[in-house]
Amino acid sequence: DHLRPKAAGEVVLPKVVPVLFFSGEEVAKIQVPPTWTTLEFKKAVGAFLGKGVAVAAIIHEGEVLEDAEHLENISSHVHVTLRKCTF
């Protein structure tokens, strides 16, 4: 996990995280509770995408976030990569 660990007793509030394509175009701004995993975040981003595409990866500070990784210490915008899907 490349995200900064929280200090004991530190309260981490939800953050509004800008979601961008690599072109710089903003997809959405999503309020991310500290308990969310990358997979939950992908699902939230998916609601802003058109039919036939899904989020393949979430990239934060140059690293691909794993689906089970918690986002409690996300510190800035993220980029998304997309894949085709049948739903």
Side-chain angles (χ1 to χ4, degrees), residues 57-75:
I58 302 283
I59 298 136
H60 179 256
E61 296 183 351
E63 294 192 36
V64 175
L65 302 180
E66 299 296 324
D67 282 350
E69 190 169 349
H70 284 270
L71 304 177
E72 62 191 2
N73 295 311
I74 202 160
S75 60

Side-chain angles (χ1 to χ4, degrees), residues 69-85:
E69 190 169 349
H70 284 270
L71 304 177
E72 62 191 2
N73 295 311
I74 202 160
S75 60
S76 63
H77 67 276
V78 297
H79 287 96
V80 293
T81 60
L82 305 179
R83 63 179 173 79
K84 291 183 179 182
C85 66

Side-chain angles (χ1 to χ4, degrees), residues 21 27 42 45-51 53-55 80 82:
F21 290 127
V27 178
K42 283 180 177 180
V45 172
F48 291 89
L49 303 175
K51 190 173 182 170
V53 293
V55 176
V80 293
L82 305 179

Side-chain angles (χ1 to χ4, degrees), residues 14-19 27-33 36 40-48:
K15 295 179 183 160
V16 176
V17 178
V19 180
V27 178
K29 286 185 180 172
I30 297 178
Q31 186 166 340
V32 180
W36 269 15
E40 290 168 307
F41 190 59
K42 283 180 177 180
K43 290 177 183 176
V45 172
F48 291 89

